[in-house]
Amino acid sequence: MSIIPKWEVVSVYELQSQNANKYLMPTYKNSRGFNERLFLESGYMVLLPDISQRNEGALLCKQCAGPPQADMKRVGLLGQSFGGYQTNFIATRSNRFAAYISGASISDVIDTSFAFNYNFYFADYWRYEDGQFRLGDFVAQKQKYWDNNPLYYAHQVKAPMLLWTGTADKNVNPEQTRSFYDALRKYRKPVIALFYKDEMHSLTRNPARRDLSIRMLEWMGYFLKDQKEVSWIQKQMKEAQ
């Protein structure tokens, strides 16, 4: 008789149903740290939901609850890039998840909406008005920008967060991660931030990829499986108290 795991990890990034027929090999050489097969082989259920965005900018997660076999007190949420922004947003509004991992993510849409993107070499406001964020014109929709700005609601985060970024990221300024980390620390939230020196929006070097892949497994294991013998997490959690 097969045993259905009770731990669940949810990875978000807009629409992912098109990836349902892809088979991934387990590896630690992951540019965003997350490898579905590694988590499956570590005893987790892995959920890749489709995320839609309502007109008011709020996120709508279809099937984020997962199957009925899951222990809903042992579910983690993670995302990178726009998925990291979605993770930040959900973390400030939800008590559904026991732990979060957010990578190379935007935390302040007001600060960055008129920033210059050195990865694409043009002003970034298109991404916020009509692109992924779909927030509309800033002047006409100021309240929407405010309501969908994770940094302004950092005090509402209810579960531990692991943040990571590359210090040479030209797509999302790594200071976005630092600002969110500082806000969470101010409000005494359990948080750790990893800054990978000279790495880009996605990690390019195998040592950094391996380090992040292992730390992500350890982070979810610590908070979902009660695997508490992880010194780098123990040290930071004590400092957050």
Side-chain angles (χ1 to χ4, degrees):
M1 182 179 66
S2 62
I3 299 176
I4 300 175
K6 62 182 178 180
W7 310 286
E8 180 181 341
V9 172
V10 182
S11 175
V12 291
Y13 188 93
E14 291 194 295
L15 304 180
Q16 301 183 99
S17 54
Q18 68 270 19
N19 298 323
N21 63 345
K22 293 182 179 179
Y23 181 84
L24 298 178
M25 297 295 291
T27 177
Y28 291 99
K29 298 178 181 179
N30 306 300
S31 63
R32 59 191 181 103
F34 178 63
N35 181 284
E36 292 90 333
R37 181 58 54 183
L38 273 182
F39 273 87
L40 287 169
E41 294 188 0
S42 297
Y44 294 92
M45 287 181 281
V46 175
L47 187 64
L48 305 175
D50 284 346
I51 302 288
S52 62
Q53 199 143 335
R54 298 173 177 175
N55 289 334
E56 65 271 21
L59 302 174
L60 176 61
C61 181
K62 298 178 181 179
Q63 299 181 336
C64 273
Q69 296 90 348
D71 182 347
M72 294 312 297
K73 294 182 180 179
R74 297 176 182 271
V75 180
L77 181 70
L78 60 87
Q80 184 257 357
S81 192
F82 187 67
Y85 163 75
Q86 293 175 318
T87 299
N88 294 342
F89 176 88
I90 292 171
T92 64
R93 305 302 180 97
S94 175
N95 59 4
R96 173 172 290 179
F97 300 98
Y100 298 97
I101 302 176
S102 174
S105 61
I106 290 170
S107 63
D108 188 348
V109 298
I110 294 177
D111 175 66
T112 55
S113 59
F114 288 101
F116 188 82
N117 189 304
Y118 285 92
N119 186 61
F120 297 107
Y121 269 86
F122 44 65
D124 230 3
Y125 59 80
W126 68 272
R127 180 159 54 170
Y128 295 87
E129 294 184 0
D130 302 309
Q132 286 179 312
F133 290 84
R134 306 193 261 305
L135 294 172
D137 178 73
F138 180 82
V139 173
Q141 302 290 346
K142 288 181 181 178
Q143 188 62 48
K144 187 185 292 187
Y145 279 75
W146 182 284
D147 293 340
N148 289 273
N149 205 31
L151 188 66
Y152 292 177
Y153 298 91
H155 61 285
Q156 297 182 171
V157 172
K158 296 181 175 62
M161 297 198 73
L162 176 64
L163 311 176
W164 67 268
T165 187
T167 62
D169 190 345
K170 302 300 182 183
N171 191 15
V172 175
N173 192 319
E175 290 304 309
Q176 288 286 304
T177 294
R178 195 181 306 277
S179 294
F180 202 44
Y181 171 79
D182 288 344
L184 292 169
R185 288 281 293 177
K186 175 183 178 181
Y187 296 111
R188 309 301 294 175
K189 305 297 181 179
V191 58
I192 295 177
L194 307 173
F195 294 86
Y196 288 95
K197 186 177 180 180
D198 298 327
E199 284 290 352
M200 308 299 288
H201 190 57
S202 296
L203 303 184
T204 60
R205 299 177 179 88
N206 286 338
R209 290 179 170 186
R210 180 177 178 83
D211 182 82
L212 179 59
S213 298
I214 292 173
R215 288 181 189 270
M216 289 176 71
L217 285 168
E218 290 179 337
W219 184 263
M220 290 303 183
Y222 189 96
F223 292 105
L224 304 189
K225 290 185 173 183
D226 295 323
Q227 298 174 343
K228 299 299 185 183
E229 299 303 316
V230 185
S231 59
W232 65 274
I233 300 177
Q234 287 178 330
K235 180 179 183 296
Q236 295 298 324
M237 291 305 101
K238 289 180 181 178
E239 293 182 359
Q241 296 174 355

